[in-house]
């Protein structure tokens, strides 16, 4: 396997691997700015227009909410170009059958889905103060796609680093089932957390007691009654992650496993702070940043655990 991986990785440069991780980082920034759009109620800053902003290519004399929303659209447009750049560079630097190609294609498809779902939210008016079930459904799909996109980009970067071929990878067996279950549970945590944050934005509480009462009141809107899903799913997902971390340590992946465990702990602390401080915008953004970094680290750990690569030379340095 080592010889095969080394042969398929011979054209992958250190610059490409670094660029792939840059794409991951840039998309995290896009996600964070999207959260700012939601938290500040700027989703309708460009009106019911897409891709134009209030019927203009570049808005003239824009309001603050228009600036926030238009900036997010510009960042999303930038993401399109850098992901396409990653796709083209990956295909030029790899050979047929290399796993990074599959991940890069998946990233591109998910990016297209991301743009279409974002446009759908705008065109259907599922922004600002909209409280409909339709918004919850479309937004949940949108948020799931966002995490899948970030995961696919992470896999692209990781697989470029190892130079593995698709046939070397497998998703069979008990440990693959448990790892995938943990990743799926983490997606549920991420989606439910974003919906909880939306509920905090649309229905701000005056105190912690009032927030708890909102969650259990029969007359409360769906978004508030769904807030309890987030902490419950976080506890269940943590159990899977702790199992993965334990198994990864046994497989000599202790350093990355410790990073995942540390980020998980930070997320729980930020989650408690979010509840106690009634979810101020700055803390929502910080909590989301931690969630994105945690997701990237978790996907990387799962990939290394399931598909532990042999030592190969990529871009002039050894990767084990």
């Amino acid at each position: 396997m080592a010889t095969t991986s080394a042969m398929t990785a011979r054209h992958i440069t250190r610059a490409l691997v670094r660029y792939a991780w840059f794409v991951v980082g840039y998309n995290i920034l896009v996600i964070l700015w999207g959260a700012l759009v939601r938290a500040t109620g700027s989703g309708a800053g460009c009106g019911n227009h897409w891709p134009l902003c209030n019927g203009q290519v570049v808005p003239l004399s824009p309001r603050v909410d228009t600036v926030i929303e238009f900036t997010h659209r510009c960042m999303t447009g930038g993401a399109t170009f850098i992901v396409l750049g990653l796709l083209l560079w990956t295909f030029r630097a790899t050979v047929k059958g290399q796993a990074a190609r599959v991940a890069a294609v998946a990233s591109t498809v998910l990016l297209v889905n991301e743009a279409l779902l974002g446009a759908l939210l705008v065109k259907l008016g599922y922004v600002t103060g909209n409280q409909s079930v339709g918004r919850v459904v479309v937004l949940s799909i949108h948020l799931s796609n966002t995490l899948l996109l970030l995961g696919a980009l992470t896999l692209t970067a990781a697989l470029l680093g190892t130079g593995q071929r698709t046939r070397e990878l497998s998703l069979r067996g008990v440990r693959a089932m448990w790892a995938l279950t943990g990743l799926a549970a983490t997606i549920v945590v991420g989606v439910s957390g974003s919906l909880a944050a939306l509920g905090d934005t649309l229905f701000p509480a005056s105190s912690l007691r009032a927030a708890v009462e909102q969650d259990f009141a029969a007359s409360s809107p769906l978004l508030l009654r769904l807030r309890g899903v987030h902490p419950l799913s976080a506890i269940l997902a943590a159990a899977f992650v702790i199992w993965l971390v334990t198994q990864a340590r046994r497989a000599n992946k202790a350093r990355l496993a410790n990073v995942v465990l540390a980020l998980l702990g930070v997320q729980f602390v930020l989650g408690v702070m979010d509840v106690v401080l009634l979810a101020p915008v700055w803390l929502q953004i910080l909590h989301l940043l931690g969630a994105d970094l945690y997701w990237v680290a978790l996907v990387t750990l799962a990939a290394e655990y399931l598909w532990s690569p042999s030592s190969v030379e990529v871009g002039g340095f050894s990767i084990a």
Side-chain angles (χ1 to χ4, degrees):
M1 182 185 296
T3 302
T4 302
S5 294
M7 289 176 62
T8 59
R10 65 185 184 274
H11 297 303
I12 301 175
T13 64
R14 181 179 299 187
L16 173 55
V17 176
R18 287 178 173 173
Y19 177 74
W21 284 114
F22 161 75
V23 175
V24 172
Y26 181 85
N27 276 271
I28 289 177
L29 291 178
V30 175
I31 293 170
L32 294 178
W33 197 270
L36 181 64
V37 172
R38 186 263 310 150
T40 57
S42 302
C46 286
N48 190 30
H49 298 87
W50 192 92
L52 298 178
C53 184
N54 292 323
Q56 301 171 323
V57 176
V58 178
L60 303 175
S61 302
R63 305 184 308 271
V64 174
D65 61 338
T66 302
V67 172
I68 295 174
E69 168 64 9
F70 183 68
T71 299
H72 183 242
R73 293 190 182 190
C74 289
M75 293 177 70
T76 302
T80 301
F81 287 106
I82 66 172
V83 170
L84 286 175
L86 177 62
L87 177 68
L88 294 175
W89 196 352
T90 297
F91 268 76
R92 286 180 61 87
T94 59
V95 296
K96 184 178 180 180
Q98 197 159 345
R101 287 190 171 190
V102 178
V105 170
S107 298
T108 306
V109 172
L110 289 166
L111 180 67
V112 173
N113 287 344
E114 191 78 351
L116 293 175
L117 288 167
L120 189 62
L121 286 170
V122 172
K123 298 302 290 185
L124 294 178
Y126 291 159
V127 292
T128 58
N130 187 289
Q131 307 169 17
S132 67
V133 175
R135 183 181 187 181
V136 173
V137 173
V138 177
L139 189 59
S140 297
I141 297 172
H142 186 31
L143 295 169
S144 299
N145 189 85
T146 299
L147 288 174
L148 291 173
L149 169 60
L150 190 58
L153 290 171
T154 299
L155 282 178
T156 303
L159 292 171
L160 282 171
T162 62
Q164 291 167 286
R165 297 179 71 93
T166 305
R167 67 166 179 260
E168 298 173 20
L169 313 182
S170 174
L171 287 175
R172 298 176 181 177
V174 176
R175 70 177 189 175
M177 180 191 71
W178 279 94
L180 292 175
T181 300
L183 291 172
T186 304
I187 290 178
V188 174
V189 175
V191 172
S192 62
S194 294
L195 291 177
L198 177 60
D200 292 333
T201 300
L202 296 180
F203 309 100
S206 57
S207 66
L208 178 57
R209 179 178 178 178
V212 175
E213 290 176 348
Q214 283 180 329
D215 291 347
F216 293 97
S219 59
S220 291
L222 179 63
L223 274 174
L224 293 184
R225 287 184 279 120
L226 285 175
R227 280 198 300 204
V229 174
H230 182 55
L232 179 60
S233 61
I235 293 172
L236 294 176
F240 287 107
V241 171
I242 291 173
W243 171 86
L244 177 61
V245 166
T246 302
Q247 296 301 314
R249 282 176 171 173
R250 293 175 180 173
N252 298 319
K253 305 293 180 183
R255 186 171 64 176
L256 185 53
N258 290 337
V259 170
V260 170
L261 198 59
L263 288 171
L264 177 61
V266 170
Q267 281 304 96
F268 272 99
V269 171
L270 291 175
V272 172
M273 290 176 59
D274 216 16
V275 173
V276 173
L277 298 179
L278 302 179
V281 173
W282 66 268
L283 187 53
Q284 291 183 36
I285 302 299
L286 184 61
H287 194 21
L288 180 58
L289 172 60
D292 289 338
L293 294 177
Y294 169 68
W295 175 245
V296 168
L298 183 61
V299 170
T300 305
L301 178 63
E304 288 194 7
Y305 171 64
L306 293 175
W307 308 319
S308 183
S310 302
S311 180
V312 297
E313 290 290 330
V314 177
F317 57 94
S318 178
I319 293 181

